[in-house]
């Protein structure tokens, strides 16, 4: 299982990186899952000052390699994923988020386990549930998501699922999916939290007090799709 954080607008990249580091080490863990630390690699996608997307992936723990990534150059969008692999066999760079596809401009991060996603694709067995979820939610050629359709996909592949929380990014927009089935075994772990201040929005797997006191965070609505249009971010700056 993993931790994710997404920041948009006029945020401090160094503060967001510090928040991701705290989550990766278990310093901010206040939930119902035995997993506290997330040391099986990490990845990020962000927008530079020129409006281009940059990415970085590494199999080392976040705190060991974040300084090598260029992540502090993030301008008005930053998403970070720190990973604790569900299955020991699924460790390594090919399983490290954000995932991407040849000839495609989407980047995809997921927190949760969707062991039945392969069936939606007509496959006999699963190779990697996050990649299969990526292909279910964003088939090649997809340019944007709609909330109703995204939630329908999740409900259709939700057998034995823990969560479909995800961040999907392409050059003109990003989406955050917040969805877990009603019977997820650790609902607090998969709840997401939102901090909204003038010109800034941060959505995080955990409340990080160094970013703002707990009372300024609010629960993100369940079963929702958050859309961020990058042109709108430019208009706000």
């Amino acid at each position: 299982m993993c931790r994710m954080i997404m920041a948009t607008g006029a945020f401090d990249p160094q503060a967001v990186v510090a928040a991701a580091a705290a989550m990766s080490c278990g310093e901010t863990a206040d939930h119902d899952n035995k997993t506290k630390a997330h040391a099986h690699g990490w990845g990020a996608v962000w927008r530079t000052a020129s409006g281009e997307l940059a990415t970085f992936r590494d199999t080392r723990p976040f705190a060991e390699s974040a300084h090598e990534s260029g992540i502090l150059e993030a301008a008005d969008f930053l998403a970070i994923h720190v990973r604790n692999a569900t299955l020991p066999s699924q460790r390594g760079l090919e399983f490290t988020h954000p995932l991407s596809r040849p000839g495609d401009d989407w980047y995809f991060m997921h927190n949760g386990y969707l062991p039945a996603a392969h069936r939606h694709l007509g496959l006999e067995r699963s190779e990697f549930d996050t990649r299969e979820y990526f292909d279910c939610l964003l088939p090649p050629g997809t340019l944007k998501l709609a909330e109703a359709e995204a939630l329908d996909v999740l409900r259709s592949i939700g057998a034995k699922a823990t969560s479909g929380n995800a961040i999907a990014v392409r050059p003109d927009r990003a989406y955050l999916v917040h969805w877990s089935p009603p019977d997820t075994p650790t609902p607090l772990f998969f709840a997401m939290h939102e901090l909204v201040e003038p010109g800034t929005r941060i959505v995080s797997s955990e409340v990080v007090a160094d970013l703002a006191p707990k009372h300024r965070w609010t629960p993100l609505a369940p079963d929702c799709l958050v859309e961020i249009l990058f042109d709108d971010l430019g208009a706000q700056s």
Side-chain angles (χ1 to χ4, degrees):
M1 299 302 153
C2 315
R3 304 282 79 183
M4 301 190 296
I5 188 167
M6 183 182 77
T8 63
F11 58 87
D12 177 0
Q14 187 166 349
V16 176
V17 167
M23 287 195 291
S24 74
C25 298
E27 294 175 6
T28 57
D30 182 17
H31 51 66
D32 50 4
N33 193 300
K34 65 181 181 180
T35 300
K36 307 298 182 184
H38 303 77
H40 300 151
W42 70 278
V45 55
W46 64 93
R47 288 229 310 169
T48 66
S50 63
E52 298 179 349
L53 291 181
T55 64
F56 188 87
R57 296 186 303 151
D58 200 296
T59 57
R60 292 171 290 175
F62 182 76
E64 291 183 14
S65 54
H67 67 283
E68 301 177 14
S69 65
I71 196 170
L72 294 180
E73 298 173 4
D76 56 9
F77 176 86
L78 170 60
I80 303 171
H81 180 281
V82 294
R83 187 165 188 255
N84 184 80
T86 302
L87 302 176
S89 62
Q90 294 182 350
R91 298 181 189 176
L93 196 61
E94 67 179 300
F95 300 106
T96 303
H97 310 204
L99 305 185
S100 60
R101 294 183 294 220
D104 194 294
D105 56 7
W106 285 102
Y107 295 100
F108 190 73
M109 304 172 171
H110 170 218
N111 175 28
Y113 186 45
L114 294 169
H118 66 287
R119 297 175 188 166
H120 190 87
L121 300 171
L123 302 175
E124 292 186 4
R125 62 188 181 91
S126 174
E127 297 289 342
F128 180 31
D129 70 295
T130 292
R131 184 166 294 282
E132 291 142 10
Y133 175 27
F134 183 8
D135 291 339
C136 290
L137 189 68
L138 295 161
T142 301
L143 299 179
K144 59 183 179 179
L145 279 173
E147 183 173 85
E149 286 82 354
L151 295 177
D152 282 346
V153 168
L154 279 159
R155 294 178 187 119
S156 73
I157 62 177
K160 298 183 179 179
T162 60
S163 182
N165 290 348
I167 297 171
V169 188
R170 65 186 307 269
D172 66 335
R173 67 190 64 209
Y175 294 95
L176 186 141
V177 180
H178 186 213
W179 178 88
S180 295
D183 60 351
T184 188
T186 54
L188 294 180
F189 183 78
F190 292 113
M192 299 200 75
H193 314 272
E194 184 175 45
L195 173 66
V196 179
E197 299 182 322
T200 304
R201 183 181 194 181
I202 296 175
V203 182
S204 175
S205 294
E206 294 175 9
V207 170
V208 182
D210 283 349
L211 289 175
K214 186 174 182 178
H215 70 270
R216 285 165 52 189
W217 293 81
T218 57
L220 187 66
D223 298 353
C224 76
L225 180 73
V226 177
E227 181 182 56
I228 299 96
L229 301 177
F230 293 147
D231 281 350
D232 290 348
L233 295 180
Q236 294 170 9
S237 62

